[in-house]
Amino acid sequence: MSALTLRLAQGTPCWVSLMTDDLPGARAFYGQLLGWTFTAGPAQLGAYVRARLGEEPVAGLGVSSVTGFPVQWTTYFAVDSADRSAQLVRECGGTVAVGPLQAERAGRLAIAADVSGAVFGLWQGAEHLGREAGPEPGGPAWAELLTPDPDGAAVFYRAVLGVPVAQAEGGSALLVGGRPVAGIRRRAELRGHPPRWRTHFAVTDAELTARRAVELGGRVLVEPHPTPRGRAARLADPRGGHFSVLETV
């Protein structure tokens, strides 16, 4: 079956990537917390590895080349053309910080920010198609935008990704094939942080995972609590990278 046949539909969250100033430490932390192993990935942006569950790639970890750049996870969306989508970002009032550029034979990417400053990626898969969110423990489970302007965000992502946005419990959601693939939530108070896409990883027990994160040198930012998608906890890795875990089974 060809890569074209397998490519995820336009607008689907297809990959998450962490940029950090301590790649060995990130590998140790997330490997033990989420059960990942690692293999080398494309090196255009510096040292970069792919995290795997078994043989399947689920996330990327790289070293930030920008001094003072915050440690953060980035959500990538599948697009049919990274160049065309990057141009739409600019036309809709966003900015393109990186690319579009070729990631060896894996695909073509761009890193952008929406009108409120939330960073996200565009991925035009070739040999590497990415991975759709799902319930498997250790893999990405959900992507959610926290923004003070959800209406403006809905207009922006509808135009850039070419997908509908519908009302959903707790906010709105991007729809692909009629089903929600990512959420948009109003967050008037971001505690000094810019608007951002929050990465959720699937786990079997949010409380046990939160305790394990602390044992490994991370922090619990928000204790396990019920959400519309299941019990979740918000955590930080030892270098301050924020992420969430979500009970899916």
Side-chain angles (χ1 to χ4, degrees):
M1 190 175 289
S2 70
L4 180 61
T5 303
L6 290 169
R7 183 174 294 160
L8 295 176
Q10 170 98 9
T12 304
C14 66
W15 192 242
V16 293
S17 185
L18 175 73
M19 298 306 290
T20 181
D21 56 4
D22 181 11
L23 183 56
R27 290 179 58 163
F29 176 82
Y30 289 101
Q32 294 179 72
L33 187 71
L34 299 175
W36 292 347
T37 58
F38 301 92
T39 56
Q44 269 83 356
L45 300 179
Y48 186 84
V49 296
R50 288 190 184 135
R52 294 179 178 269
L53 285 175
E55 295 301 314
E56 185 177 6
V58 294
L61 284 74
V63 175
S64 174
S65 59
V66 180
T67 302
F69 189 81
V71 175
Q72 67 179 28
W73 283 97
T74 300
T75 297
Y76 285 75
F77 293 90
V79 294
D80 297 331
S81 168
D83 293 80
R84 183 167 62 248
S85 297
Q87 182 58 34
L88 284 171
V89 168
R90 298 185 184 97
E91 292 174 1
C92 293
T95 58
V96 178
V98 177
L101 58 80
Q102 198 68 24
E104 298 178 0
R105 293 180 295 180
R108 192 163 177 79
L109 69 86
I111 299 175
D114 66 22
V115 289
S116 67
V119 175
F120 65 99
L122 303 167
W123 181 252
Q124 178 186 339
E127 287 190 357
H128 174 65
L129 299 169
R131 183 185 192 274
E132 192 169 3
E136 182 181 6
W142 182 245
E144 187 171 75
L145 175 65
L146 304 178
T147 176
D149 182 15
D151 294 335
V155 171
F156 176 86
Y157 288 100
R158 184 186 296 119
V160 169
L161 299 176
V163 298
V165 179
Q167 292 299 307
E169 186 176 358
S172 58
L174 279 63
L175 304 181
V176 172
R179 62 185 181 85
V181 296
I184 299 175
R185 288 182 57 197
R186 181 185 299 277
R187 183 61 63 86
E189 175 54 58
L190 289 166
R191 299 179 183 176
H193 297 280
R196 62 192 181 276
W197 280 94
R198 180 182 295 164
T199 297
H200 295 67
F201 294 106
V203 296
T204 56
D205 190 315
E207 295 201 21
L208 286 177
T209 304
R211 289 203 296 269
R212 181 60 173 151
V214 173
E215 292 171 358
L216 293 169
R219 292 179 292 135
V220 176
L221 303 175
V222 178
E223 295 286 346
H225 59 283
T227 76
R229 304 198 66 84
R231 194 164 177 78
R234 186 145 46 96
L235 310 175
D237 66 30
R239 301 301 294 169
H242 291 193
F243 65 102
S244 291
V245 293
L246 179 67
E247 289 184 12
T248 58
V249 292

